[in-house]
Amino acid sequence: MAAAVVWRRGAAWLRSCRGKVLRRGGSPETPGVPRARGCAGSREVVPTCERYAVRRLPFGRLADGDVAFFERLLPGRVVTGEEEVKPFNVDWLKSVRGCSQLVLKPQTTAEVSQILRYCHERNLAVSPQGGNTGLVGGSVPVFDEIILSTALMNQIISFDKVSGILVCQAGCVLERLSEYLEEQGFIMPLDLGAKGSCHIGGNVATNAGGLRLLRYGSLRGTVLGLEVSLCCSSAAPVLQVLADGSALDCLTSLRKDNTGYDLKQLFIGSEGTLGVITAVSILCPQKPKAVNVAFLGCQSFAKVLETFTTCRAMLGEILSAYEFMDEKCMELVETHLKLSSPVAGSPFYVLIETSGSNSTHDEEKLNSFLEQAMASGLVTDGTVATDDKKIKVLWSLRERITEALTHEGYVYKYDISLPVGKLYDLVTDMRARLGQSAKNVVGYGHLGDGNLHLNITAESYSHSLLDAIEPFVYEWTARCSGSISAEHGLGFKKRQFIQYSKPREAVVLMQQFKAMLDPKGILNPYKTLPERSTC
Ligand code: FAD
Ligand code: MLT
Ligand code: ZN
């Protein structure tokens, strides 16, 4: 029996077989985003240093003796050779490319600390890498930085079923953690389209937001503790020093701990520029017993907003996601991924998820909200899914927009926080500004969090199109007191625009923290913070 019901304004409600819903996400039936390493076809990527005319900083150059040292330290876990290293040099979007000659795959914190200590002594730059799904060019080198991959740091250390606290190594893949927890009646507090590839360490390093933030909040709240390997620095002597190097052990598993400054916050969202996160302690919620997803069509963005206000008021504590996308997104998902939407013909779509503990109660609430939304003309078309398979199908329409866009050619991605009422104005203004010079200008995102994903596509990269977009997009955002990065970070592509969202004093203080923890600046250089002279 079908469990997703398509309905239209004025049409009678159809009842469906409401199966148990366990989870959503990539699955054999609903292929998730392809594993990292090559989504956007096989075209050759222009080296970052050429496209953006970057100057290499005076770091040491890799010598045979360095490779020999790492081979002794990590036997069988050192990757060399142009072809073997290539996938680690190019980002998921295929938009930036470094020329590293070496990938290191440590398994333990002690090994990471030894690598950092050696690189510090030799003045060798290092680029930490998790699943390489980052979208701002932060996860790959710009020049020949050594790539430190957490791929083999994939052990779950402990899970406490009473407290719901998970402790694991940084290289655990998010989807693998979700599967492990679901077997025990829990879920991860975050979920994102890249779940099949991204690592929890990368999620923390970028302070990833994703599809569950509306319900469970940011990683700044759910991450309880971190273990971080640091470069040998002026701070090292006072840190807990491991046998082989220096690591900051803040891997506490406590809900409450008010003893001094909360140092782990410095590393959440630091994008590999302050230290290498080696282990994470995270608070995981109980798996909801009842999940419903509604996919609805709205005739205007004003109606998308009003639907949000109404559903917040009527669904209350069971509302767990409110996502939106414009019709162009749906068109691209259909054209490039052959995913057809059960709801068509509207300029905007919203995906509403409820999660609760009582299916009858949740369905009653959802139904009365939907009846009201239909009767008042807020939504004109829609479908509701209650079983796992149909829920995944609806979620993939939203989650796979990122992937569909890469089939268009080059994607200029912007991830903006704005007052929710102004969210779509930026898309409209950008469309008018760019006219025919862009292939598509689309908007989607986490509307419930005030987070717009503005994406502009073109056949290929061009400086002139970039100049038409930037700094216009950042000036527009700053005028509304928004943030130029809601969840993806600054990485390589946005670091020079930080001043649109942070005062000069804050940037200088950040640079001072960086200098204290990484005095030679070897950790993920050219990322996140502007060069000191520029501010
Ligand atoms: P990487 O891409 O490997 O690295 C990202 C940054 O973190 C780099 O600067 C790197 O140096 C640093 N880093 C990685 N591991 C460590 C470590 N152990 N210690 C220190 N630094 C480290 N983001 C969202 O916020 N919300 C979304 O909904 C979302 N959806 C996405 C959907 C798709 C299809 C894709 C491709 C990406 C999406 N992202 C989203 C981007 C997001 O930032 C990443 O997917 C994820 O958080 C990065 O994890 P990763 O392991 O791939 O890190
Ligand atoms: C999303 O919400 O889909 C992600 O942040 C990725 C993107 O912006 O495309
Ligand atoms: Zn997002």
Side-chain angles (χ1 to χ4, degrees):
M1 256 189 292
V5 188
V6 180
W7 47 273
R8 294 202 152 64
R9 199 165 177 203
W13 280 88
L14 299 173
R15 292 281 151 204
S16 61
C17 161
R18 310 234 146 174
K20 259 203 179 158
V21 175
L22 302 176
R23 67 186 188 98
R24 62 166 184 252
S27 73
E29 310 88 42
T30 315
V33 161
R35 309 273 148 189
R37 324 261 175 254
C39 175
S42 57
R43 72 197 130 84
E44 205 50 54
V45 182
V46 176
T48 310
C49 57
E50 280 175 30
R51 175 168 286 169
Y52 295 95
V54 196
R55 196 172 39 91
R56 187 183 182 279
L57 292 171
F59 297 114
R61 303 236 178 223
L62 194 69
D64 290 347
D66 301 320
V67 179
F69 170 83
F70 291 124
E71 276 169 346
R72 279 196 304 277
L73 178 68
L74 312 168
R77 291 177 281 129
V78 172
V79 182
T80 53
E82 203 180 322
E83 277 311 301
E84 290 76 5
V85 177
K86 197 172 175 182
F88 299 87
N89 266 320
V90 179
D91 70 329
W92 186 87
L93 286 169
K94 293 201 179 296
S95 63
V96 283
R97 174 153 74 96
C99 54
S100 179
Q101 299 155 39
L102 187 68
V103 180
L104 303 177
K105 294 186 172 177
Q107 284 174 322
T108 66
T109 303
E111 287 174 350
V112 175
S113 293
Q114 283 202 51
I115 293 167
L116 293 189
R117 190 172 58 174
Y118 182 86
C119 290
H120 173 81
E121 280 163 14
R122 286 270 302 116
N123 194 29
L124 295 169
V126 178
S127 184
Q129 189 177 93
N132 195 10
T133 65
L135 298 173
V136 288
S139 55
V140 296
V142 174
F143 290 94
D144 56 347
E145 298 88 275
I146 293 170
I147 297 166
L148 193 163
S149 164
T150 53
L152 299 181
M153 302 187 73
N154 54 9
Q155 298 301 307
I156 291 173
I157 298 167
S158 65
F159 178 62
D160 182 328
K161 276 191 91 157
V162 178
S163 62
I165 295 168
L166 172 79
V167 183
C168 64
Q169 281 191 301
C172 290
V173 171
L174 180 61
E175 191 169 46
R176 158 89 187 84
L177 292 175
S178 297
E179 285 162 0
Y180 168 83
L181 287 172
E182 285 189 17
E183 283 164 17
Q184 322 214 30
F186 286 79
I187 58 170
M188 287 297 280
L190 81 160
D191 184 25
L192 35 141
K195 58 174 99 39
S197 301
C198 63
H199 297 181
I200 188 66
N203 299 147
V204 174
T206 54
N207 188 23
L211 308 163
R212 291 183 182 157
L213 189 135
L214 183 69
R215 165 62 72 84
Y216 300 113
S218 123
L219 287 172
R220 294 200 180 278
T222 50
V223 170
L224 301 177
L226 289 181
E227 180 187 61
V228 185
S229 277
L230 300 162
C231 286
C232 288
S233 73
S234 51
V238 297
L239 298 172
Q240 178 194 339
V241 178
L242 293 180
D244 302 301
S246 104
L248 178 63
D249 181 358
C250 288
L251 198 59
T252 168
S253 292
L254 302 169
R255 288 293 299 273
K256 301 176 83 173
D257 176 13
N258 267 357
T259 49
Y261 306 134
D262 189 358
L263 293 177
K264 70 171 181 294
Q265 295 296 347
L266 203 49
F267 298 95
I268 300 176
S270 64
E271 301 183 84
T273 60
L274 296 180
V276 176
I277 297 166
T278 51
V280 176
S281 159
I282 187 164
L283 182 65
C284 303
Q286 202 85 37
K287 182 165 72 174
K289 290 199 176 70
V291 178
N292 299 293
V293 168
F295 196 85
L296 312 171
C298 295
Q299 291 307 309
S300 66
F301 190 70
K303 295 211 158 130
V304 169
L305 293 175
E306 219 185 310
T307 305
F308 179 50
T309 317
T310 310
C311 95
R312 253 212 316 211
M314 294 187 70
L315 298 177
E317 79 292 349
I318 64 166
L319 177 65
S320 54
Y322 192 97
E323 299 284 320
F324 95 101
M325 62 228 83
D326 62 23
E327 63 181 338
K328 197 73 204 171
C329 294
M330 284 300 95
E331 210 179 292
L332 296 179
V333 164
E334 178 144 20
T335 308
H336 297 302
L337 308 179
K338 310 287 170 240
L339 299 180
S340 59
S341 169
V343 185
S346 297
F348 293 96
Y349 298 92
V350 299
L351 185 153
I352 298 172
E353 185 193 71
T354 67
S355 309
S357 57
N358 182 325
S359 55
T360 316
H361 164 268
D362 294 2
E363 280 178 29
E364 263 171 31
K365 276 179 116 168
L366 182 60
N367 288 346
S368 54
F369 155 70
L370 291 170
E371 273 159 19
Q372 154 113 15
M374 283 291 278
S376 59
L378 287 181
V379 304
T380 45
D381 199 0
T383 180
V384 179
T386 59
D387 87 43
D388 195 20
K389 215 168 156 188
K390 298 283 182 190
I391 282 176
K392 279 182 198 153
V393 170
L394 292 183
W395 263 112
S396 61
L397 293 169
R398 162 63 186 88
E399 285 185 42
R400 297 185 68 192
I401 297 169
T402 317
E403 183 192 348
L405 284 160
T406 63
H407 291 263
E408 288 276 282
Y410 190 88
V411 190
Y412 302 81
K413 291 190 86 70
Y414 299 92
D415 162 40
I416 311 283
S417 263
L418 285 171
V420 70
K422 297 194 175 135
L423 215 65
Y424 204 73
D425 292 350
L426 177 55
V427 183
T428 315
D429 285 3
M430 188 61 84
R431 221 172 251 150
R433 178 178 171 82
L434 299 181
Q436 298 302 307
S437 54
K439 202 167 165 186
N440 280 302
V441 178
V442 307
Y444 57 98
H446 317 287
L447 186 131
D449 310 327
N451 183 180
L452 168 73
H453 293 314
L454 164 69
N455 283 239
I456 297 147
T457 63
E459 283 305 333
S460 56
Y461 172 85
S462 98
H463 283 310
S464 61
L465 185 51
L466 186 65
D467 289 345
I469 301 168
E470 300 176 4
F472 172 82
V473 62
Y474 302 124
E475 287 164 356
W476 199 104
T477 303
R479 272 199 304 278
C480 297
S481 308
S483 169
I484 65 156
S485 171
E487 59 174 9
H488 296 162
L490 296 167
F492 170 77
K493 290 185 186 168
K494 296 177 184 178
R495 68 169 183 148
Q496 72 274 32
F497 300 107
I498 191 171
Q499 74 277 6
Y500 286 98
S501 294
K502 287 287 183 296
R504 185 182 170 277
E505 297 75 15
V507 177
V508 170
L509 199 54
M510 289 183 206
Q511 285 167 327
Q512 285 170 355
F513 280 124
K514 166 81 176 167
M516 183 182 83
L517 292 171
D518 177 20
K520 292 186 177 173
I522 62 164
L523 269 179
N524 227 5
Y526 324 101
K527 316 282 173 61
T528 311
L529 298 180
E531 275 178 53
R532 293 196 88 161
S533 56
T534 61
C535 72

